[in-house]
Amino acid sequence: MRKESSTNNINEKRLRELCGTSYALSIIGGRWKPTIICRLMDGKVRYSDLRDSIIGVSERMLVQQLRELEKDGILIRIVHPQVPPKVEYELTEDGLCMQPMLSKMSEWGNNHKAKYQKEELV
Amino acid sequence: MRKESSTNNINEKRLRELCGTSYALSIIGGRWKPTIICRLMDGKVRYSDLRDSIIGVSERMLVQQLRELEKDGILIRIVHPQVPPKVEYELTEDGLCMQPMLSKMSEWGNNHKAKYQKEELV
DNA sequence: CTCATTTCTTACTTTTTTGTAAGTACCTAA
DNA sequence: TTAGGTACTTACAAAAAAGTAAGAAATGAG
């Protein structure tokens, strides 16, 4: 839960407002979010498949991150009314069009990582 | 200080290793980092100018974020040996070449923000 | 009636990040 | 000798994010 009146919260909100980058970060910044979005890039995926393919994530975290992404309009939740339950997650258009951004991030990240690891050897 | 043995730390490290996007996020993810990097995009800037132009940041936070960016090879610290002290910060090549990534993030962010705020009116 | 399956909840703890407030070091100039 | 300017430190507190462990609902199969 966020405390509305905290300096922390106020600062974050202001940065989000005046800087597109900070805004983007506030949406994809959660620990498991890039991974989740990646997994969904090729189409909808079932909850249990997400859970099983993302090693290290707990159900608590997975559900939380999914809910936040849903609230931010990045993905939708598709409930099939059956028992046992079946729920699928699918990127929205706004989620899909993160692709160029994510790929730039990945590109920069991988370059920097490679370079840094090389420098360590020197 | 990070606790080496925590699940939190271990998860972050693993994601960083295997995903360029998570790696990039771990570097630009700090509250004031995108703003700092932005300010430096046009050339070196003095500490006090950074402090005065970034509203809301405390000296504690500013120094901390600068140190982390320095450690990650994004910027360098240029000390002029004089009194009163004069310190400038300048992006490295790795910092400068964040530009395309940052601009994609900013672009996506601004689009999404505009769209979302429009939808709220409906 | 009991069990299995799937998708979550809930209450709680730990870890990490962010912020506050006050103080420090250095020399220079009045 | 005292004040002033710059770039920080330090000790502490508050807030936020991440993780743990156990449980819950719904229903069809046996």
Side-chain angles (χ1 to χ4, degrees), chain B residues 7-8 11 46-48 59-60 67 77 84-85 87 89:
Chain B
T7 305
N8 189 329
N11 279 339
R46 221 180 147 167
Y47 173 80
S48 48
E59 305 220 47
R60 160 99 166 60
R67 293 285 184 277
R77 189 164 166 263
V87 178
Y89 291 90

Side-chain angles (χ1 to χ4, degrees), chain A residues 89-105:
Chain A
Y89 290 91
E90 185 174 24
L91 292 183
T92 61
E93 213 181 297
D94 282 347
L96 283 167
C97 76
M98 283 179 149
Q99 178 71 64
M101 167 178 82
L102 291 174
S103 106
K104 279 288 172 203
M105 294 179 69

